[in-house]
Amino acid sequence: MAAQQKESWGTRVGLILAMAGNAVGLGNFLRFPVQAVNNGGGAFIIPYLVCFLLMGIPLLWIEWSMGRFGGKHRNHSTPFILDTMTKRAFWKYFGVFGIFTNIAVAAYYCYIESWTMSYVWHSIAGTFNGLSQAQVAQFFTDYVDIGITHSGIPYEAVVFYVLCLLLNTWILSRGLAGVERAAKIGMPLLILFGVFLALRGVTLGTSGASAEVPDASAWDGLNFLWTPQFSSLSDPKVWLAAAGQIFFTLSVGMGTIHCYAAYVKSKDDIALNAVSAGFMNEFVEVVLGSLIVIPIAAGYLGLDWVKENAGFGMAFQTMPFLFEKWGPFLSMAAGVMWFGLLFFAGITSSLAMGTPWMGFMRDEFGWGRTKGAWSFGLIVLLLGLPTVLFFQEGVFGEYDYWAGTVSLVVFALAETVLFAWVFGMDRGWKELMSGSDLKVPPFYRFIIKYITPAMLLVVFLASVFTPAGNEWSAALSSLFSGNGWPLDNGSIIKTIANSGLHEQLAAATDAGEIQRLNDRLFYTNLARVMLLLTFTGLAVLVYVASLRRLRTAKYARA
Amino acid sequence: MNSDALFLMVATQLTVIAITGYFFVRVLMTPPKKEPDSYSENDEADR
């Protein structure tokens, strides 16, 4: 069932930019600074970098090695990449995560990406000119409530979502060459825009202070972000937050790295490529990501506002208002750069999400690039429309939790165990070092075999048994004093049971609020059913593909 | 900015920039392997 015509990367720099583009996403600019300010400010960087070296880099090497190994056997998606590494047939069903996660994440990720497209357009059109901060925030609320439009385009959110998906699908239909070209254009522009905005963040100082916020200062934002609070280093919550951030920022546990690496030949390097792409992501996150949102927001709205409102929504609900203070031309340029860089960060990641499905259908069913790309677009559209239409009802959040969070940890843990313990560290190390341009220190053998899986297990268990309020010390005290382990409503166990929603329902007295919560419960369960159906459908496809392989092998023997 | 925050920010960012630059330059400076390699752009057949 192997592809008759093998694709390949145009250049080594193109491969690294595509890999870095896959990792660099909106979280680099929006999640990292918020995690830092909530977890010890400057001291957060210490556990963050430790986790990068002990978990991030090893996972990158594991996934690049697995991908290239699978590619040698003409497999370009995780089900049969995992299958080639072991004789046990069930591992290929773990590999289903490597396609499922990408389809499910692309379904809602393309929606955020479409917001950035739309906001670039609105920045050019001057939609935010003269709006107050509350009006800019309301614009976003109205935008996601698809019935209301400020631009005259009916169902604007749906239109931009479909346009964004069409663009992704078209680029994907050009194959690896299209993905590589998008990365070669997108990544340099992203860095250029990021550097401009970061310089503005660093040099803003107290010039943004106003009569309403006389003590506003960008320096306060940077102080808040970087002043080390070393006492936080003894808090397990901080270490878990650092591990989580490293995990999500590198796009590990998704199956995209395997797929990209499957197009690299065994005589070519993967060890140096992996660390180069990984550090490129760190540059965007630690250097650019920390110098834009927090200092600019603190520079105009003050540190107290930032402490209360730091979060994902700042990108769309606050930044356009702040850019308006830079005058008509610069505000438009800054809006285009900010939403443009978020768009490039998004599209280089969403393109990567299409390649595992295309690789799988090409390997197993002989589908060409065009058929593979358009079928991916159609599936993502069907799965993604509920996130657009029922965004306020929580479908988006449900996809993000199960596909964009839990699935990643499960798959990363499984692949690490497979690589280090089933495939074997000796073979794994040999695969990593084959054709290597980098002498990897031998102690990484120990780290990959013991430390990385142990860290992943801790992250997974911490997600399953998150204590109430994420207070680990209090939970341990409670456990040892015989009062049990109080679970948080955000833990996997309580999330499955919808405990938070049921508690809210039990406490609600207003009929409208009860109806809203019941609707939310319905759409939450609907989202889970859709995700489950998608996973099951993909597992069936993998089963059919394995039967076809068996049949082909039989004919070949006969 | 206070001196602790300034020191940590500058030290961290310079370290990340230096390591990123070092690895990327190594990628650029490493001579390509003999054909056939993974990269189609420098293939004889494509010229």
PDB file of all heavy atoms in Angstrom, chain A residues 77-79 92-103 253-256 258-259 353 355-357 407 411 535 538:
ATOM      1  N   SER A  77       2.347   7.978   8.736  1.00  0.00           N
ATOM      2  CA  SER A  77       1.425   8.403   9.784  1.00  0.00           C
ATOM      3  C   SER A  77       1.594   7.446  10.960  1.00  0.00           C
ATOM      4  O   SER A  77       2.065   6.313  10.789  1.00  0.00           O
ATOM      5  CB  SER A  77      -0.020   8.413   9.296  1.00  0.00           C
ATOM      6  OG  SER A  77      -0.419   7.109   8.982  1.00  0.00           O
ATOM      7  N   THR A  78       1.199   7.917  12.134  1.00  0.00           N
ATOM      8  CA  THR A  78       1.569   7.202  13.368  1.00  0.00           C
ATOM      9  C   THR A  78       1.028   5.760  13.505  1.00  0.00           C
ATOM     10  O   THR A  78       1.739   4.941  14.077  1.00  0.00           O
ATOM     11  CB  THR A  78       1.188   8.022  14.610  1.00  0.00           C
ATOM     12  OG1 THR A  78      -0.156   8.454  14.466  1.00  0.00           O
ATOM     13  CG2 THR A  78       2.095   9.222  14.762  1.00  0.00           C
ATOM     14  N   PRO A  79      -0.189   5.433  13.035  1.00  0.00           N
ATOM     15  CA  PRO A  79      -0.628   4.049  13.274  1.00  0.00           C
ATOM     16  C   PRO A  79       0.380   3.011  12.779  1.00  0.00           C
ATOM     17  O   PRO A  79       0.754   2.092  13.515  1.00  0.00           O
ATOM     18  CB  PRO A  79      -1.954   3.959  12.502  1.00  0.00           C
ATOM     19  CG  PRO A  79      -2.467   5.349  12.485  1.00  0.00           C
ATOM     20  CD  PRO A  79      -1.259   6.222  12.396  1.00  0.00           C
ATOM     21  N   LYS A  92      -0.756  -0.045  17.033  1.00  0.00           N
ATOM     22  CA  LYS A  92      -1.186   0.821  15.927  1.00  0.00           C
ATOM     23  C   LYS A  92      -2.462   1.582  16.284  1.00  0.00           C
ATOM     24  O   LYS A  92      -2.724   2.645  15.735  1.00  0.00           O
ATOM     25  CB  LYS A  92      -1.345   0.049  14.625  1.00  0.00           C
ATOM     26  CG  LYS A  92      -2.353  -1.047  14.600  1.00  0.00           C
ATOM     27  CD  LYS A  92      -2.440  -1.615  13.179  1.00  0.00           C
ATOM     28  CE  LYS A  92      -3.169  -2.928  13.138  1.00  0.00           C
ATOM     29  NZ  LYS A  92      -2.370  -4.061  13.658  1.00  0.00           N
ATOM     30  N   TYR A  93      -3.240   1.035  17.235  1.00  0.00           N
ATOM     31  CA  TYR A  93      -4.446   1.762  17.638  1.00  0.00           C
ATOM     32  C   TYR A  93      -4.106   2.942  18.557  1.00  0.00           C
ATOM     33  O   TYR A  93      -4.871   3.899  18.648  1.00  0.00           O
ATOM     34  CB  TYR A  93      -5.477   0.805  18.249  1.00  0.00           C
ATOM     35  CG  TYR A  93      -5.938  -0.183  17.201  1.00  0.00           C
ATOM     36  CD1 TYR A  93      -5.451  -1.488  17.180  1.00  0.00           C
ATOM     37  CD2 TYR A  93      -6.797   0.216  16.186  1.00  0.00           C
ATOM     38  CE1 TYR A  93      -5.830  -2.373  16.183  1.00  0.00           C
ATOM     39  CE2 TYR A  93      -7.182  -0.654  15.184  1.00  0.00           C
ATOM     40  CZ  TYR A  93      -6.696  -1.951  15.185  1.00  0.00           C
ATOM     41  OH  TYR A  93      -7.059  -2.818  14.195  1.00  0.00           O
ATOM     42  N   PHE A  94      -2.988   2.862  19.259  1.00  0.00           N
ATOM     43  CA  PHE A  94      -2.495   4.061  19.949  1.00  0.00           C
ATOM     44  C   PHE A  94      -2.129   5.116  18.919  1.00  0.00           C
ATOM     45  O   PHE A  94      -2.298   6.312  19.138  1.00  0.00           O
ATOM     46  CB  PHE A  94      -1.255   3.740  20.802  1.00  0.00           C
ATOM     47  CG  PHE A  94      -1.580   3.386  22.227  1.00  0.00           C
ATOM     48  CD1 PHE A  94      -1.438   2.094  22.689  1.00  0.00           C
ATOM     49  CD2 PHE A  94      -2.034   4.360  23.111  1.00  0.00           C
ATOM     50  CE1 PHE A  94      -1.744   1.770  24.000  1.00  0.00           C
ATOM     51  CE2 PHE A  94      -2.347   4.048  24.410  1.00  0.00           C
ATOM     52  CZ  PHE A  94      -2.202   2.747  24.862  1.00  0.00           C
ATOM     53  N   GLY A  95      -1.615   4.629  17.782  1.00  0.00           N
ATOM     54  CA  GLY A  95      -1.234   5.543  16.704  1.00  0.00           C
ATOM     55  C   GLY A  95      -2.405   6.316  16.134  1.00  0.00           C
ATOM     56  O   GLY A  95      -2.210   7.363  15.507  1.00  0.00           O
ATOM     57  N   VAL A  96      -3.636   5.819  16.351  1.00  0.00           N
ATOM     58  CA  VAL A  96      -4.820   6.550  15.866  1.00  0.00           C
ATOM     59  C   VAL A  96      -4.842   7.961  16.469  1.00  0.00           C
ATOM     60  O   VAL A  96      -5.285   8.916  15.826  1.00  0.00           O
ATOM     61  CB  VAL A  96      -6.111   5.776  16.229  1.00  0.00           C
ATOM     62  CG1 VAL A  96      -7.351   6.599  15.902  1.00  0.00           C
ATOM     63  CG2 VAL A  96      -6.164   4.453  15.473  1.00  0.00           C
ATOM     64  N   PHE A  97      -4.317   8.090  17.701  1.00  0.00           N
ATOM     65  CA  PHE A  97      -4.260   9.417  18.332  1.00  0.00           C
ATOM     66  C   PHE A  97      -3.522  10.417  17.434  1.00  0.00           C
ATOM     67  O   PHE A  97      -3.847  11.596  17.416  1.00  0.00           O
ATOM     68  CB  PHE A  97      -3.533   9.336  19.682  1.00  0.00           C
ATOM     69  CG  PHE A  97      -4.430   8.906  20.815  1.00  0.00           C
ATOM     70  CD1 PHE A  97      -4.326   7.631  21.351  1.00  0.00           C
ATOM     71  CD2 PHE A  97      -5.366   9.771  21.349  1.00  0.00           C
ATOM     72  CE1 PHE A  97      -5.143   7.231  22.392  1.00  0.00           C
ATOM     73  CE2 PHE A  97      -6.190   9.373  22.395  1.00  0.00           C
ATOM     74  CZ  PHE A  97      -6.084   8.096  22.925  1.00  0.00           C
ATOM     75  N   GLY A  98      -2.513   9.923  16.714  1.00  0.00           N
ATOM     76  CA  GLY A  98      -1.684  10.796  15.878  1.00  0.00           C
ATOM     77  C   GLY A  98      -2.403  11.333  14.653  1.00  0.00           C
ATOM     78  O   GLY A  98      -1.897  12.249  13.994  1.00  0.00           O
ATOM     79  N   ILE A  99      -3.558  10.775  14.329  1.00  0.00           N
ATOM     80  CA  ILE A  99      -4.384  11.350  13.246  1.00  0.00           C
ATOM     81  C   ILE A  99      -5.579  12.080  13.862  1.00  0.00           C
ATOM     82  O   ILE A  99      -5.904  13.201  13.503  1.00  0.00           O
ATOM     83  CB  ILE A  99      -4.887  10.266  12.269  1.00  0.00           C
ATOM     84  CG1 ILE A  99      -3.707   9.468  11.704  1.00  0.00           C
ATOM     85  CG2 ILE A  99      -5.675  10.891  11.127  1.00  0.00           C
ATOM     86  CD1 ILE A  99      -4.128   8.318  10.815  1.00  0.00           C
ATOM     87  N   PHE A 100      -6.188  11.411  14.841  1.00  0.00           N
ATOM     88  CA  PHE A 100      -7.379  11.955  15.497  1.00  0.00           C
ATOM     89  C   PHE A 100      -7.117  13.352  16.079  1.00  0.00           C
ATOM     90  O   PHE A 100      -7.877  14.287  15.841  1.00  0.00           O
ATOM     91  CB  PHE A 100      -7.830  10.995  16.603  1.00  0.00           C
ATOM     92  CG  PHE A 100      -8.726  11.621  17.630  1.00  0.00           C
ATOM     93  CD1 PHE A 100     -10.068  11.860  17.357  1.00  0.00           C
ATOM     94  CD2 PHE A 100      -8.233  12.003  18.883  1.00  0.00           C
ATOM     95  CE1 PHE A 100     -10.885  12.451  18.296  1.00  0.00           C
ATOM     96  CE2 PHE A 100      -9.045  12.588  19.823  1.00  0.00           C
ATOM     97  CZ  PHE A 100     -10.380  12.823  19.533  1.00  0.00           C
ATOM     98  N   THR A 101      -6.012  13.458  16.853  1.00  0.00           N
ATOM     99  CA  THR A 101      -5.716  14.726  17.513  1.00  0.00           C
ATOM    100  C   THR A 101      -5.618  15.852  16.490  1.00  0.00           C
ATOM    101  O   THR A 101      -6.150  16.942  16.703  1.00  0.00           O
ATOM    102  CB  THR A 101      -4.379  14.620  18.275  1.00  0.00           C
ATOM    103  OG1 THR A 101      -4.486  13.523  19.175  1.00  0.00           O
ATOM    104  CG2 THR A 101      -4.079  15.873  19.055  1.00  0.00           C
ATOM    105  N   ASN A 102      -4.964  15.579  15.379  1.00  0.00           N
ATOM    106  CA  ASN A 102      -4.769  16.623  14.377  1.00  0.00           C
ATOM    107  C   ASN A 102      -6.082  17.070  13.750  1.00  0.00           C
ATOM    108  O   ASN A 102      -6.307  18.263  13.557  1.00  0.00           O
ATOM    109  CB  ASN A 102      -3.812  16.120  13.289  1.00  0.00           C
ATOM    110  CG  ASN A 102      -2.422  15.986  13.844  1.00  0.00           C
ATOM    111  OD1 ASN A 102      -1.793  16.967  14.165  1.00  0.00           O
ATOM    112  ND2 ASN A 102      -1.941  14.767  13.999  1.00  0.00           N
ATOM    113  N   ILE A 103      -6.938  16.101  13.431  1.00  0.00           N
ATOM    114  CA  ILE A 103      -8.220  16.467  12.818  1.00  0.00           C
ATOM    115  C   ILE A 103      -9.070  17.256  13.815  1.00  0.00           C
ATOM    116  O   ILE A 103      -9.633  18.305  13.481  1.00  0.00           O
ATOM    117  CB  ILE A 103      -8.960  15.197  12.331  1.00  0.00           C
ATOM    118  CG1 ILE A 103      -8.225  14.613  11.120  1.00  0.00           C
ATOM    119  CG2 ILE A 103     -10.406  15.510  11.988  1.00  0.00           C
ATOM    120  CD1 ILE A 103      -8.786  13.298  10.618  1.00  0.00           C
ATOM    121  N   GLY A 253       3.420  14.927  20.916  1.00  0.00           N
ATOM    122  CA  GLY A 253       2.270  14.099  21.251  1.00  0.00           C
ATOM    123  C   GLY A 253       1.119  14.247  20.264  1.00  0.00           C
ATOM    124  O   GLY A 253      -0.003  13.839  20.548  1.00  0.00           O
ATOM    125  N   MET A 254       1.402  14.848  19.098  1.00  0.00           N
ATOM    126  CA  MET A 254       0.321  15.061  18.121  1.00  0.00           C
ATOM    127  C   MET A 254       0.409  14.149  16.901  1.00  0.00           C
ATOM    128  O   MET A 254      -0.587  13.843  16.278  1.00  0.00           O
ATOM    129  CB  MET A 254       0.349  16.509  17.627  1.00  0.00           C
ATOM    130  CG  MET A 254      -0.163  17.495  18.641  1.00  0.00           C
ATOM    131  SD  MET A 254      -0.395  19.124  17.927  1.00  0.00           S
ATOM    132  CE  MET A 254      -1.908  18.931  17.004  1.00  0.00           C
ATOM    133  N   GLY A 255       1.639  13.771  16.549  1.00  0.00           N
ATOM    134  CA  GLY A 255       1.798  12.940  15.352  1.00  0.00           C
ATOM    135  C   GLY A 255       2.276  13.732  14.146  1.00  0.00           C
ATOM    136  O   GLY A 255       2.591  13.156  13.100  1.00  0.00           O
ATOM    137  N   THR A 256       2.338  15.064  14.277  1.00  0.00           N
ATOM    138  CA  THR A 256       2.774  15.871  13.140  1.00  0.00           C
ATOM    139  C   THR A 256       4.284  15.765  12.931  1.00  0.00           C
ATOM    140  O   THR A 256       4.750  15.707  11.794  1.00  0.00           O
ATOM    141  CB  THR A 256       2.402  17.351  13.363  1.00  0.00           C
ATOM    142  OG1 THR A 256       2.774  17.712  14.691  1.00  0.00           O
ATOM    143  CG2 THR A 256       0.939  17.581  13.184  1.00  0.00           C
ATOM    144  N   HIS A 258       6.203  13.219  13.668  1.00  0.00           N
ATOM    145  CA  HIS A 258       6.462  11.913  13.057  1.00  0.00           C
ATOM    146  C   HIS A 258       6.268  11.990  11.543  1.00  0.00           C
ATOM    147  O   HIS A 258       7.053  11.478  10.761  1.00  0.00           O
ATOM    148  CB  HIS A 258       5.500  10.841  13.575  1.00  0.00           C
ATOM    149  CG  HIS A 258       5.427  10.726  15.061  1.00  0.00           C
ATOM    150  ND1 HIS A 258       4.766  11.631  15.832  1.00  0.00           N
ATOM    151  CD2 HIS A 258       5.922   9.794  15.909  1.00  0.00           C
ATOM    152  CE1 HIS A 258       4.853  11.270  17.095  1.00  0.00           C
ATOM    153  NE2 HIS A 258       5.545  10.165  17.174  1.00  0.00           N
ATOM    154  N   CYS A 259       5.147  12.638  11.177  1.00  0.00           N
ATOM    155  CA  CYS A 259       4.793  12.689   9.755  1.00  0.00           C
ATOM    156  C   CYS A 259       5.828  13.487   8.962  1.00  0.00           C
ATOM    157  O   CYS A 259       6.299  13.027   7.917  1.00  0.00           O
ATOM    158  CB  CYS A 259       3.401  13.308   9.627  1.00  0.00           C
ATOM    159  SG  CYS A 259       2.853  13.404   7.934  1.00  0.00           S
ATOM    160  N   MET A 353      -1.166  19.865  10.709  1.00  0.00           N
ATOM    161  CA  MET A 353      -2.215  18.951  11.182  1.00  0.00           C
ATOM    162  C   MET A 353      -2.868  18.175  10.033  1.00  0.00           C
ATOM    163  O   MET A 353      -3.481  17.133  10.257  1.00  0.00           O
ATOM    164  CB  MET A 353      -3.286  19.735  11.943  1.00  0.00           C
ATOM    165  CG  MET A 353      -2.778  20.335  13.238  1.00  0.00           C
ATOM    166  SD  MET A 353      -4.013  21.442  13.950  1.00  0.00           S
ATOM    167  CE  MET A 353      -2.984  22.491  14.970  1.00  0.00           C
ATOM    168  N   THR A 355      -1.219  16.928   7.408  1.00  0.00           N
ATOM    169  CA  THR A 355      -0.324  15.964   6.750  1.00  0.00           C
ATOM    170  C   THR A 355      -0.448  14.519   7.262  1.00  0.00           C
ATOM    171  O   THR A 355      -0.301  13.595   6.455  1.00  0.00           O
ATOM    172  CB  THR A 355       1.141  16.444   6.822  1.00  0.00           C
ATOM    173  OG1 THR A 355       1.446  16.793   8.170  1.00  0.00           O
ATOM    174  CG2 THR A 355       1.368  17.644   5.933  1.00  0.00           C
ATOM    175  N   PRO A 356      -0.720  14.273   8.564  1.00  0.00           N
ATOM    176  CA  PRO A 356      -0.849  12.865   8.969  1.00  0.00           C
ATOM    177  C   PRO A 356      -2.013  12.139   8.272  1.00  0.00           C
ATOM    178  O   PRO A 356      -1.868  10.995   7.841  1.00  0.00           O
ATOM    179  CB  PRO A 356      -1.084  12.949  10.487  1.00  0.00           C
ATOM    180  CG  PRO A 356      -0.445  14.217  10.893  1.00  0.00           C
ATOM    181  CD  PRO A 356      -0.700  15.149   9.756  1.00  0.00           C
ATOM    182  N   TRP A 357      -3.165  12.808   8.162  1.00  0.00           N
ATOM    183  CA  TRP A 357      -4.309  12.197   7.463  1.00  0.00           C
ATOM    184  C   TRP A 357      -3.953  11.925   6.001  1.00  0.00           C
ATOM    185  O   TRP A 357      -4.206  10.840   5.470  1.00  0.00           O
ATOM    186  CB  TRP A 357      -5.531  13.120   7.558  1.00  0.00           C
ATOM    187  CG  TRP A 357      -6.624  12.797   6.572  1.00  0.00           C
ATOM    188  CD1 TRP A 357      -6.856  13.409   5.375  1.00  0.00           C
ATOM    189  CD2 TRP A 357      -7.624  11.765   6.686  1.00  0.00           C
ATOM    190  NE1 TRP A 357      -7.934  12.849   4.745  1.00  0.00           N
ATOM    191  CE2 TRP A 357      -8.429  11.837   5.516  1.00  0.00           C
ATOM    192  CE3 TRP A 357      -7.928  10.799   7.650  1.00  0.00           C
ATOM    193  CZ2 TRP A 357      -9.508  10.973   5.289  1.00  0.00           C
ATOM    194  CZ3 TRP A 357      -9.013   9.944   7.425  1.00  0.00           C
ATOM    195  CH2 TRP A 357      -9.775  10.032   6.265  1.00  0.00           C
ATOM    196  N   SER A 407      -5.472  14.094  24.976  1.00  0.00           N
ATOM    197  CA  SER A 407      -4.955  13.152  23.961  1.00  0.00           C
ATOM    198  C   SER A 407      -3.442  13.278  23.788  1.00  0.00           C
ATOM    199  O   SER A 407      -2.745  12.283  23.598  1.00  0.00           O
ATOM    200  CB  SER A 407      -5.612  13.411  22.606  1.00  0.00           C
ATOM    201  OG  SER A 407      -6.957  13.103  22.668  1.00  0.00           O
ATOM    202  N   PHE A 411      -0.889  10.130  24.300  1.00  0.00           N
ATOM    203  CA  PHE A 411      -0.097   9.632  23.177  1.00  0.00           C
ATOM    204  C   PHE A 411       1.403   9.784  23.437  1.00  0.00           C
ATOM    205  O   PHE A 411       2.194   8.885  23.140  1.00  0.00           O
ATOM    206  CB  PHE A 411      -0.492  10.347  21.880  1.00  0.00           C
ATOM    207  CG  PHE A 411       0.220   9.814  20.666  1.00  0.00           C
ATOM    208  CD1 PHE A 411       0.154   8.459  20.342  1.00  0.00           C
ATOM    209  CD2 PHE A 411       0.970  10.641  19.866  1.00  0.00           C
ATOM    210  CE1 PHE A 411       0.825   7.956  19.238  1.00  0.00           C
ATOM    211  CE2 PHE A 411       1.647  10.145  18.751  1.00  0.00           C
ATOM    212  CZ  PHE A 411       1.572   8.796  18.446  1.00  0.00           C
ATOM    213  N   PHE A 535     -12.803   9.333  16.499  1.00  0.00           N
ATOM    214  CA  PHE A 535     -11.743   8.396  16.890  1.00  0.00           C
ATOM    215  C   PHE A 535     -12.098   6.978  16.434  1.00  0.00           C
ATOM    216  O   PHE A 535     -11.262   6.257  15.862  1.00  0.00           O
ATOM    217  CB  PHE A 535     -11.536   8.431  18.413  1.00  0.00           C
ATOM    218  CG  PHE A 535     -10.317   7.671  18.858  1.00  0.00           C
ATOM    219  CD1 PHE A 535      -9.102   8.320  19.010  1.00  0.00           C
ATOM    220  CD2 PHE A 535     -10.367   6.300  19.095  1.00  0.00           C
ATOM    221  CE1 PHE A 535      -7.963   7.623  19.399  1.00  0.00           C
ATOM    222  CE2 PHE A 535      -9.243   5.596  19.477  1.00  0.00           C
ATOM    223  CZ  PHE A 535      -8.033   6.257  19.632  1.00  0.00           C
ATOM    224  N   LEU A 538     -11.695   6.511  12.706  1.00  0.00           N
ATOM    225  CA  LEU A 538     -10.286   6.391  12.315  1.00  0.00           C
ATOM    226  C   LEU A 538      -9.727   5.025  12.712  1.00  0.00           C
ATOM    227  O   LEU A 538      -8.945   4.418  11.955  1.00  0.00           O
ATOM    228  CB  LEU A 538      -9.465   7.513  12.983  1.00  0.00           C
ATOM    229  CG  LEU A 538      -9.718   8.915  12.420  1.00  0.00           C
ATOM    230  CD1 LEU A 538      -9.109   9.986  13.315  1.00  0.00           C
ATOM    231  CD2 LEU A 538      -9.153   9.032  11.007  1.00  0.00           C
TER     232      LEU A 538
END
